[in-house]
């Protein structure tokens, strides 16, 4: 139970996503070597929200965490340039990185949240390369924390968080207690461009290196990817003269 | 610093800066560049946003509201911004190199506070008034006069081709204070805009960089306080030349941005356009063009970076800066010309950006020192090196 007025620490988890998707020749996955990565757009929104909360003096420190190979550090630096205070790079490389999925990342986040005594974890709702939309929810479950997912509005009030969520039917407003997990949706905010002075300051901010084993996390995947294929090539359409022809064609191709 | 050239990797801060500017250019400038060009509209909103990022005053120390970065960073930012929109690029360049540049170098503490600090945020931009209807390359022949009357300077004359003039809140003006001393009798002055005695000529209707305003500045008994002189009396020509030596690197970077945009356009088209049964990128004629364009851009870029690094290391950089500006501007005109050729008919219409790059590129061989002047500067420096 936190008696202080301020939330102390937020952890954000900016993912880097592939900018270009090409299936590997052996259909075992997508090519990651040498492909440019950039911060997942929903994670940019998450980082922005954390920085805004700090600017409103509602929280004291924003920690940016990224799991992956060396180049994940670039994503952390971008978060630092946007205003995060320090970074943690959880080193996952090679084969482990290829099989790294939401479950493993959630375990890492849960371990870090406890270690860092965080009050809030903010993530993007999903990564645009795998579209899993699982990490936030799994992290909350592992920690037994409440979750406010698909957030389009977040407001802190003491140790409670009011979250407006975008759902199929419209907007749902919930109130949850901290510590909590939030996932950012598109309309939560418009991420800032890092200012040049902040880019300079980011250079001095610390990024700690941590291994999953140090956190007691086992990275073994419970899933095996059998095959990855490109979507079928779009075929040319067929023109028909009458509605009868159309219905006939649809029946013919088994559509109706 | 020169070890940077051998490590072929930019420092992390610079990589981050370059990516940030690239993201901004892709998302905020590229989508509107054609409209800005067509309607000749000053990109006020974008200049404000760039100001907030620190791009409008990159070399200015943080205490004065700038980004406190080096010239290599400035070159990287300029290239990315110009790749998105060449007009926005020139507005940024003039504010940084030609307006703030000389004040930062030659201004008093008071002048820096008054004339730099408000110009870092994008709220206000400045301009640089050296050229006249009677002299461009022949800068020493400045016929604008400044006479002292009591506690004021009184300026009379006309300045021509002044970028940002219609959108500026201040200008650095060069005027003759002692005619007998010829170019050693020119001094630099700071004049706010608008100001009594200062009026603007019509906005020029230009071939390219149309979103930036270019016009004459007319001075008729324009009175300014004595403390508005910038630097010592008679130092004006030296101030102008030194300012242009540095400004050259910024313009080289602008030209690189245009060249790269043209190359991007052509290479993309080569993948997509099919003729003779295959994408035209399979044809040697197209491949040779793209290769030549890439070599032109990359070599100009390395020259630009070298000039910037030399300047940042306080080493002599005049020759390299002139080489960079010459190479980059000729790369811009070459690449944009070839890009239209690769696109064929599509390169000639406004549906594709190639025609705008062609129009934007042309001025880079003219302003801030024509290609001919650059050659003179390079030869001058070169011959000095061979003197025993």
């Amino acid at each position: 139970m936190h008696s202080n007025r301020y939330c102390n620490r937020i952890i954000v988890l900016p993912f880097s996503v592939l900018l270009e998707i090409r299936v590997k020749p052996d259909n075992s996955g997508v090519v990651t070597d040498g492909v440019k990565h950039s911060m997942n757009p929903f994670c940019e929104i998450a980082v922005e929200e954390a920085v805004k909360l700090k600017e409103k003096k509602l929280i004291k420190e924003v920690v940016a965490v990224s799991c992956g190979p060396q180049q994940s550090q670039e994503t952390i630096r971008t978060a630092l340039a946007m205003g995060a205070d320090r970074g943690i790079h959880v080193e996952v490389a090679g084969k482990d990185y290829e099989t790294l999925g939401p479950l493993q990342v959630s375990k890492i986040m849960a371990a870090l949240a406890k270690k860092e005594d965080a009050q809030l974890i903010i993530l993007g709702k999903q990564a645009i390369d795998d579209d899993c939309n699982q990490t936030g929810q799994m992290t909350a479950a592992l920690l037994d924390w409440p979750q406010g997912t698909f957030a389009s509005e977040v407001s802190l009030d003491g140790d409670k968080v009011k979250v407006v969520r975008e759902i199929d039917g419209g907007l749902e407003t919930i109130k949850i207690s901290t510590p909590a997990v939030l996932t950012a949706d598109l309309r939560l905010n418009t991420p800032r461009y890092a200012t040049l002075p902040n880019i300079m300051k980011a250079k001095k901010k610390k990024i700690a290196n941590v291994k999953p084993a140090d956190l007691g996390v086992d990275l073994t995947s419970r899933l095996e990817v059998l095959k990855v294929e490109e979507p079928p090539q779009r075929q040319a359409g067929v023109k028909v003269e009458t509605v009868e022809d159309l219905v006939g064609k649809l029946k013919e191709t088994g559509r109706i | 610093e020169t070890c940077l050239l051998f490590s072929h990797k930019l420092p992390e801060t610079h990589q981050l800066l370059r990516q940030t500017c690239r993201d901004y250019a892709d998302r905020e400038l590229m989508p509107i560049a054609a409209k800005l060009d067509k309607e000749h509209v000053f990109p006020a909103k974008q200049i404000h946003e760039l100001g907030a990022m620190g791009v409008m005053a990159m070399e200015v120390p943080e205490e004065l509201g700038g980004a406190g970065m080096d010239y290599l960073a400035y070159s990287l930012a300029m290239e990315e911004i110009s790749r998105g929109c060449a007009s926005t690029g020139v507005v940024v360049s003039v504010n940084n190199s030609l307006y703030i540049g000389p004040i930062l170098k030659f201004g008093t503490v008071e002048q820096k506070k008054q004339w730099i600090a408000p110009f870092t945020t994008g709220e206000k931009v400045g301009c640089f008034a050296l050229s006249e209807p009677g002299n461009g390359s022949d800068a020493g022949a400045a016929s604008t006069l400044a006479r002292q009357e009591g506690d004021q300077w009184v300026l009379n004359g006309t300045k021509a081709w002044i970028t940002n003039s219609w959108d500026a809140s201040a200008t650095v003006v060069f005027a003759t204070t002692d005619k007998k001393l010829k170019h050693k009798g020119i001094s630099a002055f700071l004049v706010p805009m608008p100001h009594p005695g200062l009026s603007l000529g019509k906005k020029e209707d230009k071939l390219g960089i149309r979103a930036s305003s270019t016009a004459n500045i007319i001075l008729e008994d324009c009175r300014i306080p004595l403390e508005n002189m910038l630097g010592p009396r008679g130092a004006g020509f030296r101030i102008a030349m030194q300012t242009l030596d540095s400004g050259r690197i910024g313009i080289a970077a602008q030209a690189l941005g245009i060249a790269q945009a043209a190359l991007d356009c052509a290479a993309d088209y080569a993948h997509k356009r099919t003729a003779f049964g295959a994408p035209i990128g399979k044809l040697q004629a197209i491949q040779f063009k793209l290769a030549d364009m890439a070599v032109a851009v990359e070599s100009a870029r390395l020259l630009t970076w070298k000039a910037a690094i030399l300047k940042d290391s306080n080493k002599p950089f005049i020759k390299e800066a002139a080489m960079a500006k010459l190479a980059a501007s000729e790369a811009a005109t070459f690449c944009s010309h070839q890009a239209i050729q690769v696109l064929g008919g599509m390169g000639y219409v406004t549906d594709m950006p190639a025609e705008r790059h062609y129009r934007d590129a042309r001025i880079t061989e003219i302003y801030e020192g024509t290609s001919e002047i650059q050659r003179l500067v390079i030869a001058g420096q070169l011959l000095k090196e061979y003197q025993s």
Side-chain angles (χ1 to χ4, degrees), chain B residues 139-141 175-187 232-238:
Chain B
T176 299
T177 35
D178 301 282
K179 208 154 185 201
K180 289 200 194 78
L181 300 175
K182 301 233 182 101
H183 70 269
K184 291 208 175 128
I186 299 175
S187 306
R233 182 174 179 145
F237 186 77
R238 179 168 56 92

Side-chain angles (χ1 to χ4, degrees), chain B residues 211-251:
Chain B
S212 77
S213 58
T214 307
N216 285 2
I217 290 181
I218 303 147
L219 303 157
E220 292 166 297
D221 279 351
C222 178
R223 293 171 183 276
I224 49 175
L226 287 180
E227 60 261 24
N228 282 30
M229 179 176 276
L230 177 68
R233 182 174 179 145
F237 186 77
R238 179 168 56 92
I239 293 174
M241 292 305 107
Q242 283 188 34
T243 302
L244 290 169
D245 283 335
S246 309
R248 238 144 246 179
I249 302 175
I251 291 300

Side-chain angles (χ1 to χ4, degrees), chain A:
Chain A
M1 190 54 198
H2 300 278
S3 55
N4 46 336
R5 281 171 297 145
Y6 301 123
C7 256
N8 274 320
R9 198 168 287 129
I10 288 187
I11 297 187
V12 288
L13 179 72
F15 271 96
S16 53
V17 288
L18 299 167
L19 283 185
E20 190 193 296
I21 307 285
R22 269 175 294 136
V23 176
K24 280 186 186 164
D26 63 359
N27 288 97
S28 62
V30 294
V31 179
T32 53
D33 265 348
V35 177
K36 192 135 207 305
H37 285 67
S38 82
M39 194 189 289
N40 185 35
F42 293 111
C43 298
E44 276 181 15
I45 297 174
V47 173
E48 173 67 25
E49 196 62 22
V51 172
K52 274 167 77 163
L53 287 171
K54 184 174 155 211
E55 285 171 346
K56 287 187 198 154
K57 300 213 192 315
L58 293 169
I59 58 116
K60 282 208 196 126
E61 193 188 33
V62 178
V63 182
V65 175
S66 202
C67 308
Q70 245 334 83
Q71 65 202 92
S72 300
Q73 298 222 2
E74 284 171 36
T75 309
I76 299 177
R77 285 263 173 245
T78 308
L80 294 175
M82 284 172 74
D85 296 293
R86 57 185 168 90
I88 301 176
H89 172 217
V90 181
E91 285 177 50
V92 180
K95 246 288 115 266
D96 283 336
Y97 184 59
E98 281 181 29
T99 55
L100 188 72
L103 181 58
Q104 292 79 21
V105 175
S106 315
K107 287 180 182 173
I108 292 171
M109 284 306 286
L112 275 173
K114 290 201 191 112
K115 186 162 179 271
E116 294 287 335
D117 193 25
Q119 280 77 50
L120 265 185
I121 300 179
I122 310 185
L123 306 85
K125 70 171 182 182
Q126 66 197 58
I128 61 170
D129 55 8
D130 63 20
D131 271 350
C132 282
N133 183 5
Q134 296 169 0
T135 308
Q137 292 85 337
M138 283 179 173
T139 308
L142 288 169
L143 286 165
D144 199 22
W145 285 7
Q147 56 182 266
T149 54
F150 308 104
S152 66
E153 214 183 292
V154 167
S155 38
L156 257 57
D157 185 13
D159 63 349
K160 298 260 188 288
V161 186
K162 190 175 96 171
V163 183
V164 178
R165 308 178 56 233
E166 293 197 9
I167 59 174
D168 286 347
L171 296 173
E172 179 192 55
T173 307
I174 59 172
K175 201 183 239 179
I176 54 180
S177 308
T178 56
V181 176
L182 306 174
T183 73
D185 209 326
L186 192 60
R187 279 158 281 273
L188 180 57
N189 59 50
T190 307
R192 67 193 62 192
Y193 291 98
T195 66
L196 273 46
N198 281 342
I199 291 176
M200 293 285 279
K201 289 192 185 111
K203 211 166 44 170
K204 301 195 186 105
K205 294 179 181 173
K206 288 202 170 7
I207 299 181
N209 283 308
V210 167
K211 292 198 174 51
D214 299 340
L215 299 167
V217 172
D218 170 21
L219 290 179
T220 330
S221 179
R222 310 289 177 84
L223 301 171
E224 186 194 334
V225 173
L226 297 176
K227 196 164 60 155
V228 176
E229 313 178 298
E230 298 211 354
Q233 288 276 15
R234 210 189 146 141
Q235 300 294 331
V238 174
K239 271 195 177 153
V240 293
E241 297 294 307
T242 67
V243 174
E244 284 79 27
D245 285 346
L246 175 61
V247 174
K249 276 266 180 238
L250 287 170
K251 280 195 178 148
E252 214 177 273
T253 50
R255 298 286 198 260
I256 52 171

